[in-house]
Amino acid sequence: MDRHIENQASTMKWTNDITRLLGIDFPIVQAPMFGVTTPEMVAAAGTAGCLGSLALADLHADQCRDAIHKTRMLTQRPFAVNLFVHHIPAIDDRLRTDYAEATAWMEQLAQRYNLAVKLPAIDDLAMHNYAEQIEAIMDENCKIVSFTFGNLDPQSIARLKSKGTVLIGTCTSVKEAELLAQADIDIICVQGIEAGGHRGTFATEDIPAIGGLSLLAQVSEAVQVPLLYAGGIYNAKTLLAARALGANGFQIGSLLLGSAESALHDFEKDRSRRAKESDIVLTKSFSGRFARGIKNIFVDESEASGLILPYPYQNKLTAELRKVARSNKLSEFVNIWMGQSISEFSGDSTTSIIKRLIEQTEVLAGL
């Protein structure tokens, strides 16, 4: 381990249940941001003595294996693989009709802005069940699995635990935290309403009205499970506030959007740097699930249309539009997820950004 990191670890006394469970020096987790996270970012987080998270989302099992192999070529440190655990609605007559209407509307929108897109038919969509991913990550002997949008089924939990896998679930309410704890999930990530990206909500369709730190305090009292906190952590003050309210670990995402290892294109990073608080909204427009990011023309037009399909159908339908928009560097038609806390966007390496957060925290804590 880097001597600088070793000295920090002993000075700050960061060691706790989470560092022991995950085999890391600092209880800081790089958020699994699909479309932003790269194997390089995961490795860089590990170099800082923290946990990198490889976002697999709903990739095909073979794509999962490729991503895991690329990451392992870059680091020997522990890292998590992150899955989307969600229900896929069956295709019925109603969904076919809605999909056709949404497709026609989106084609008209694209024409209006001179975007040449060829949207997929509903029967051509490739849907991947997370059960296939479980097989891949077990074959690859991944020892840390985090997930969102729901809870793993009991059989998958039992199989993973039989291999000594540490499981990290995501909650956005006390009820969800209790469900995860009852399922014997090892670590619970409490996702505050301030967090960027998709909401991990699964026990209700409603958006939790409670603020993240208030939720963290309530979850801390409700369950006896180590807690990560995600949402609005961008400096030492916010990290220490989360710790004071019961967090054993801290997940950071938006802080790393502009990093050297981020997969965001330069025009997307530039738009993120220029974002104002009033630009950040919760929307279902791009994926069919609530996610926090930068408002743009597509968000406004989509919400006004009322033609938003359930996840993952909306996500699959908008994928081609987003691809074409990115190739044309048009930020008004791509999803740029980020949290409510607007902070300085550093282009430094993920390692440097995290080390700086650790150092600032030690200074502020007086340790």
Side-chain angles (χ1 to χ4, degrees), residues 21 138 143 154-167 180 183-187:
L21 279 168
M138 290 191 71
K143 291 301 184 182
Q155 182 181 10
S156 293
I157 292 173
R159 290 183 65 204
L160 288 164
K161 280 185 163 288
S162 73
K163 298 294 185 180
T165 308
V166 177
L167 302 180
L180 293 169
D184 200 25
I185 301 306
D186 300 292
I187 297 171

Side-chain angles (χ1 to χ4, degrees), residues 252-273:
I252 57 173
S254 295
L255 192 62
L256 304 174
L257 291 178
S259 69
E261 299 82 8
S262 168
L264 290 184
H265 295 248
D266 287 342
F267 80 93
E268 293 171 306
K269 291 181 179 180
D270 179 66
R271 180 65 187 91
S272 298
R273 291 187 185 96

Side-chain angles (χ1 to χ4, degrees), residues 147 156 195 241 305:
F147 53 90
S156 293
S305 75

Side-chain angles (χ1 to χ4, degrees), residues 145-215:
V145 176
S146 62
F147 53 90
T148 188
F149 297 174
N151 193 6
L152 294 168
D153 63 276
Q155 182 181 10
S156 293
I157 292 173
R159 290 183 65 204
L160 288 164
K161 280 185 163 288
S162 73
K163 298 294 185 180
T165 308
V166 177
L167 302 180
I168 306 174
T170 305
C171 79
T172 61
S173 68
V174 172
K175 178 181 179 181
E176 291 172 350
E178 291 173 338
L179 290 172
L180 293 169
Q182 291 164 12
D184 200 25
I185 301 306
D186 300 292
I187 297 171
I188 297 174
C189 179
V190 180
Q191 186 189 38
I193 191 69
E194 304 89 346
H198 280 99
R199 305 291 300 146
T201 303
F202 64 91
T204 177
E205 291 292 326
D206 299 327
I207 304 176
I210 185 172
L213 293 180
S214 296
L215 173 62

